[in-house]
Amino acid sequence: MNSCVSQHLASVCEFGGWVASKLPCPEESAHVKTLFWSSVVGSWALSFVRQNGQRNFSIVDRLWPLFPVVLVAQWLYDDRAYFSCAAAADDLQVRTAQHKAIAAMVLVAIWGARLCFNSIRRGDYAVGAEDYRWAVTRAAIERRLPACSCLRWAVWETFNIAFISLFQLALLYLISVPLRLAIQYTATVADGTVNAAADGWSFTEIALVVLMIVLLEVEAIADQQMYKFQQRKKQGALTKHETEAGFVHSGLWKYSRHPNVACEQAFWVVMCVFCATATGTDLCSPENIWLLSGPALLILLMWASVQLTESISRSKYPLYQAYQLQTSRLIPWKPWSAAQVINHAHSKL
């Protein structure tokens, strides 16, 4: 067991070293590199500060709505000279490139503001507030280790720095990188380094922007429905049917068990595609395909997060398993009837 743990720790450390050598991208400014690594080290160090007598591992959770917005602001500041020149340019190509970059930045700012507002009203920024899943994750890790407090502490702290701080902030950086592409593209068009990919907005680009707006709106509606349910639950104002279930399963949640998560994933995938389309970047080419790593890792992380969340919900709510059988996991879909669930179960026999 100890040799397996040692190998695991070595693998995690090796991965952390690889990430450290690759992120942020070598061409990033000193400002961005400082911002990234100070956020990683700072979030890890703050996890040692006790809140209400206990350590708190949700520091990065508090940074989640803010970090991409701050990154975009830093990229814009780094290219402010060219970007401001683009605003005064008479060239239609330059102005179009700038307007597309501005559209992407505005959408990310709205995403961050909405997510931050939802986190504040849920109490996520309150002193001592911590995502309950970290305690469950730590208990699950410790169950797989020998009863050695030093070893368990070492494994958890490695997980804390490598995953909770480094991996999550690296993920936020990667999903935001396509916006850097759009901002820098505007700068290169403005100074004449490259020619613009198009003189105006294409139908595809307009459709992608509209789709992102819809995704933000649907995610906001899903979060609002969840928030109202939780408030009524605290007040004891749930209906008899809702009380028996114990979890929200109406509205958008009738058609998807995690509509907000589905929209979150889709938003960043569409953002990546929009920035690539607006800058004439071929995402299928070997030198650009890495831009998809952010959305891909986000989908993998949220898939694992949903797995953990649902395992906890099944243990708390007896009817949750029935909800799982009838309702789509992510993509909104018409709920299955009892007969469809039974037929599906028979087909698996």
Side-chain angles (χ1 to χ4, degrees):
M1 175 65 77
N2 288 333
S3 62
C4 292
V5 172
S6 299
Q7 291 175 3
H8 173 70
L9 284 173
S11 299
V12 171
C13 293
E14 183 179 352
F15 171 74
W18 180 85
V19 172
S21 66
K22 299 294 183 181
L23 293 173
C25 294
E27 63 269 20
E28 289 289 7
S29 68
H31 297 125
V32 173
K33 291 178 180 178
T34 301
L35 172 64
F36 178 82
W37 287 112
S38 62
S39 298
V40 171
V41 175
S43 62
W44 172 70
L46 286 173
S47 71
F48 288 90
V49 177
R50 293 187 175 273
Q51 300 180 23
N52 295 337
Q54 294 183 330
R55 291 181 62 186
N56 191 297
F57 298 98
S58 278
I59 305 301
V60 176
D61 297 336
R62 293 169 167 85
L63 292 178
W64 194 278
L66 307 173
F67 194 63
V69 178
V70 175
L71 275 174
V72 169
Q74 184 60 62
W75 286 323
L76 182 60
Y77 177 80
D78 289 342
D79 286 314
R80 62 192 181 282
Y82 292 114
F83 210 82
S84 59
C85 289
D90 293 329
D91 192 326
L92 177 60
Q93 290 183 332
V94 176
R95 292 203 308 272
T96 299
Q98 185 194 47
H99 292 164
K100 292 174 184 178
I102 290 174
M105 289 188 289
V106 168
L107 286 168
V108 169
I110 294 172
W111 167 87
R114 191 211 67 79
L115 192 59
C116 191
F117 165 75
N118 193 55
S119 297
I120 290 172
R121 69 175 177 174
R122 290 191 315 183
D124 295 345
Y125 286 94
V127 175
E130 182 184 73
D131 189 327
Y132 65 93
R133 289 171 294 188
W134 290 129
V136 175
T137 301
R138 183 171 189 175
I141 291 174
E142 291 182 346
R143 280 197 302 271
R144 290 166 171 78
L145 296 172
C148 173
S149 58
C150 292
L151 178 61
R152 290 183 173 184
W153 181 89
V155 171
W156 176 253
E157 289 307 326
T158 303
F159 179 82
N160 183 20
I161 182 64
F163 179 81
I164 298 180
S165 292
L166 178 56
F167 175 81
Q168 288 197 99
L169 287 167
L171 171 58
L172 291 172
Y173 169 80
L174 288 171
I175 63 174
S176 306
V177 158
L179 282 99
R180 185 199 66 179
L181 183 70
I183 294 170
Q184 292 183 342
Y185 178 76
T186 301
T188 55
V189 171
D191 68 7
T193 304
V194 299
N195 294 320
D199 292 334
W201 287 73
S202 68
F203 173 79
T204 300
E205 290 164 344
I206 294 172
L208 290 171
V209 169
V210 172
L211 178 56
M212 284 189 282
I213 294 172
V214 171
L215 289 170
L216 288 174
E217 180 63 25
V218 174
E219 186 176 0
I221 293 172
D223 282 341
Q224 178 68 9
Q225 290 175 346
M226 172 62 80
Y227 177 76
K228 284 187 173 181
F229 177 86
Q230 294 297 340
Q231 291 301 110
R232 290 191 295 112
K233 187 176 182 179
K234 290 178 182 178
Q235 298 164 3
L238 296 179
T239 64
K240 180 181 178 181
H241 185 57
E242 289 174 328
T243 302
E244 289 174 350
F247 54 89
V248 61
H249 58 281
S250 58
L252 293 174
W253 302 81
K254 178 180 179 181
Y255 304 98
S256 169
R257 304 199 299 271
H258 306 278
N260 51 350
V261 173
C263 291
E264 180 79 2
Q265 294 174 345
F267 175 81
W268 288 107
V269 171
V270 177
M271 176 61 75
C272 181
V273 174
F274 170 75
C275 291
T277 303
T279 58
T281 302
D282 181 9
L283 289 175
C284 295
S285 64
E287 64 269 19
N288 296 322
I289 197 169
W290 71 274
L291 291 168
L292 293 169
S293 61
L297 286 173
L298 179 67
I299 290 171
L300 290 174
L301 175 64
M302 289 193 165
W303 185 267
S305 176
V306 164
Q307 285 276 82
L308 176 60
T309 302
E310 294 204 331
S311 67
I312 297 171
S313 296
R314 281 197 305 270
S315 66
K316 290 173 62 178
Y317 309 116
L319 294 178
Y320 195 82
Q321 191 168 0
Y323 176 59
Q324 287 180 299
L325 293 172
Q326 290 187 307
T327 309
S328 170
R329 185 175 195 174
L330 291 174
I331 301 174
W333 202 256
K334 182 181 178 181
W336 278 13
S337 65
Q340 287 175 309
V341 172
I342 292 172
N343 291 334
H344 179 71
H346 282 305
S347 68
K348 295 291 185 180
L349 296 177

